[in-house]
């Protein structure tokens, strides 16, 4: 099996996520004595590339129009672009990838990727779609950090033709850089689940902020409002893309949520203390069970 | 002015909040050399009282039917009972309080307290309603901690007849035990604001958990779902009381939220990327402004 600290990594798009992946690989995989691995990056943002080179996070950089020169050297490529650019980039540079290399993306919605798999696939490249479930409320390379992945989930969606040794290599990399749980699934299940745990949460947090009378409400906050709305410091163009790309799944979860809200609202409206308390007891039990599943998986 | 470390404190109800207040006073106010202050407590839970005495958190305890013997000694009384018991307790023990003492409660909704002020008030007792905006997802004395108040808000609702020196003493106590911001307002504003920052958040977190298909969703979580639903490990009887006690304010906030959700949902449904992005940009700006208000107040 290939050794992680001897590979050449290529990071396409050096923003918050690309930068964080590069930093984590540098820190946790390539900083070992005797390592011959390298990190290359190609991005439209030249100043981020230069900063990353100065910080010794990457070894070499390539402007986006020279990406082919990088891809031909890389054993493991992370495409960390905005969702709408991901498939375009892979298809446009299809012939540049190094034969036998592993390719992955970080898109939060996989529908387009799986729909256009025929255009993307090259037989001698192992494309393994992935989704690192981590992030920050800030954009850009300057906010990236190699430590944002600790105790987070990585979702892998190997194709049926993906080679086991490559999947294993991917998993060991993900574990090395901090992720504590790897979930394997397919694109359809991913988009359905993510619409709930990620997109619906961003919708609700945003609507909660939108419905605030004014900005001084935090004077009356006890932490709940702040916790619920931290993700509302949102990257508007990115999340607009994600919401629309996963529209049907998201709308169906929004409607389930609206039904749950109507039920609880009616208990309150009708002064139905018994109904309200039993609803909340069920919620408590369910949420505690979720924590137990988490703890179980961490052990 | 009275000295905080020379007062006799009375804690009525030694659960999560009463216990935390007692521990914080012990640790941050009475642990000084030369302190002559004491902490007494009365609660229906004898085993909590005994545990607190063993831990040297309280100096003496009184079963609830002996509360009068405690109240007559106390300079500063915190009533930390469930909302529906608070007014009853104060009215039932009205004659036992020490003349000149300060009395406060910690109720999350103030309507009943202000509605029944004539029954509660005694001219020689300074009753200053308050609301420590802090808590935990666990109930009972055994989960209490003197450190849960750090960087939290305390809301004070002095009456027009409250004495300035007592309000100042209260503020200095609250600051000593860790709170970073004290907001003065009245009961009506409190209930309106709290319905948004606290009760609506608990409603939404609960409905989000209720609408989850099953408990394994956290395998697909990236932290957002967990942050949004931590408060859904809810104390069902307590929050049922709070929701119903503040029903009209809460329902009005729920309806505003539903309107915000409908707006965003329609942008998504109609593939209106421009509308969606502009909605999210506004949300981001508003939420960042809220953080700035917070930071400003902390400095």
């Amino acid at each position: 099996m290939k050794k992680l600290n001897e590979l050449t990594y290529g990071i396409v798009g050096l923003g918050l996520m690309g930068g964080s992946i590069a930093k984590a690989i540098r820190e946790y995989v390539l900083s070992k004595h005797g390592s011959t691995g390298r990190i290359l990056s190609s991005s439209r943002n030249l100043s981020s590339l230069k900063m990353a080179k100065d910080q010794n996070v990457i070894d070499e950089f390539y402007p986006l129009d020279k990406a082919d020169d990088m891809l031909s050297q890389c054993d493991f490529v992370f495409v960390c672009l905005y969702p709408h650019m991901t498939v375009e980039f892979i298809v446009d540079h299809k012939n540049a990838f190094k034969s036998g290399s592993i390719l992955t993306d970080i898109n939060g919605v996989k529908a387009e990727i799986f729909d256009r798999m025929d255009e993307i696939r090259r037989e001698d490249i192992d494309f393994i779609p992935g989704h690192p479930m981590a992030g920050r409320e800030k954009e850009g390379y300057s906010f990236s950090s190699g430590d944002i992945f600790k105790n987070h989930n990585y979702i892998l969606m190997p194709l049926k033709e993906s080679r086991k040794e490559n999947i294993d290599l991917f998993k060991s990399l993900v574990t090395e850089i901090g992720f504590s749980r790897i979930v394997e699934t397919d694109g359809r299940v991913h988009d359905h689940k993510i619409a709930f745990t990620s997109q619906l949460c961003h919708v609700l947090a945003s609507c909660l902020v939108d419905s605030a009378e004014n900005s001084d409400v935090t004077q009356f906050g006890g932490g709940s409002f702040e916790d619920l709305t931290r993700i509302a410091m949102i990257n508007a163009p990115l999340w607009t893309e994600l919401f629309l790309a996963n529209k049907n799944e998201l709308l169906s979860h929004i409607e389930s949520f609206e039904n749950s809200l109507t039920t609880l609202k009616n208990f309150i409206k009708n002064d139905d203390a018994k109904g309200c308390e039993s609803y909340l007891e069920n919620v408590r039990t369910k949420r505690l069970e979720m924590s137990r599943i988490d703890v179980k998986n961490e052990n």
Side-chain angles (χ1 to χ4, degrees), chain A:
Chain A
M1 189 162 126
K2 294 170 188 164
K3 287 187 178 161
L4 289 175
N5 65 341
E6 294 173 358
L7 300 182
T8 296
Y9 297 89
I11 312 289
V12 181
L14 200 67
L16 174 72
M17 291 302 289
S20 297
I21 291 171
K23 287 177 179 177
I25 294 176
R26 172 66 66 202
E27 191 164 344
Y28 299 111
V29 181
L30 299 190
S31 60
K32 295 177 191 165
H33 179 68
S35 156
T36 57
R38 292 184 308 152
I39 305 175
L40 317 182
S41 182
S42 182
S43 176
R44 64 177 172 186
N45 190 330
L46 267 183
S47 66
S48 295
L49 289 172
K50 284 176 185 158
M51 196 189 304
K53 175 90 164 74
D54 287 345
Q55 295 169 341
N56 195 34
V57 169
I58 61 173
D59 296 287
E60 282 171 38
F61 63 83
Y62 300 79
L64 215 45
D65 59 356
K66 301 280 183 203
D68 284 358
D69 297 342
M70 177 187 87
L71 296 173
S72 60
Q73 306 175 56
C74 295
D75 305 300
F76 204 135
V77 176
F78 282 86
V79 178
C80 304
L81 298 171
Y82 270 56
H84 75 278
M85 297 163 69
T86 300
V87 175
E88 288 317 311
F89 179 87
I90 299 175
V91 171
D92 287 352
H93 298 81
K94 193 168 171 175
N95 296 323
F97 292 94
K98 180 177 168 183
S99 189
S101 63
I102 299 172
L103 167 63
T104 190
D105 71 302
I106 62 158
N107 270 22
V109 177
K110 298 299 183 193
E112 191 197 0
I113 285 174
F114 282 89
D115 287 348
R116 298 180 62 185
M117 195 56 83
D118 287 346
E119 293 172 70
I120 296 172
R121 280 285 294 150
R122 214 181 90 182
E123 266 190 23
D124 59 335
I125 306 293
D126 210 342
F127 177 42
I128 307 177
H131 186 184
M133 296 295 299
R136 277 187 118 162
E137 287 73 43
K138 310 268 188 179
E139 300 105 49
Y141 175 78
S142 54
F143 290 105
S144 66
S145 156
D147 292 320
I148 65 171
F149 305 130
K150 291 217 189 317
N151 300 319
H152 280 259
N153 299 334
Y154 209 108
I155 308 178
L156 284 184
M157 288 145 276
L159 311 185
K160 59 180 187 309
E161 56 269 36
S162 292
R163 292 172 59 183
K164 186 176 175 310
E165 66 184 67
N166 287 337
I167 299 171
D168 289 345
L169 192 75
F170 200 155
K171 285 181 180 174
S172 64
L173 175 64
V174 157
T175 305
E176 288 286 318
I177 65 175
F179 288 91
S180 59
R181 178 162 55 183
I182 299 166
V183 179
E184 273 186 67
T185 187
D186 61 36
R188 197 191 49 76
V189 170
H190 169 271
D191 285 1
H192 177 70
K193 295 288 188 182
I194 285 304
F196 181 80
T197 56
S198 175
Q199 288 142 21
L200 177 62
C201 291
H202 282 75
V203 162
L204 299 181
S206 299
C207 296
L208 181 54
V209 169
D210 182 68
S211 79
E213 293 168 330
N214 55 45
S215 300
D216 77 355
V217 288
T218 46
Q219 289 187 16
F220 293 86
S224 310
F225 177 80
E226 294 78 355
D227 284 349
L228 263 75
T229 60
R230 203 159 287 116
I231 55 173
M233 290 180 271
I234 196 164
N235 177 335
L238 173 64
W239 286 91
T240 296
E241 272 194 45
L242 294 169
F243 292 165
L244 297 185
N246 210 14
K247 171 179 160 173
N248 293 334
E249 292 292 349
L250 177 55
L251 287 173
S252 127
H253 287 303
I254 291 177
E255 277 153 26
S256 299
F257 174 84
E258 287 176 323
N259 292 336
S260 290
L261 182 55
T262 301
T263 304
L264 183 52
K265 186 176 69 169
N266 286 336
F267 286 137
I268 297 168
K269 199 178 264 175
N270 302 325
D271 282 314
D272 183 349
K274 217 169 151 180
C276 184
E277 196 172 319
S278 139
Y279 182 105
L280 297 179
E281 286 292 1
N282 282 337
V283 161
R284 175 189 171 98
T285 305
K286 197 168 170 184
R287 182 59 179 79
L288 287 170
E289 169 64 18
M290 290 172 177
S291 300
R292 271 190 289 275
I293 289 176
D294 258 9
V295 170
K296 217 164 30 189
N297 276 284
E298 273 164 27
N299 290 339

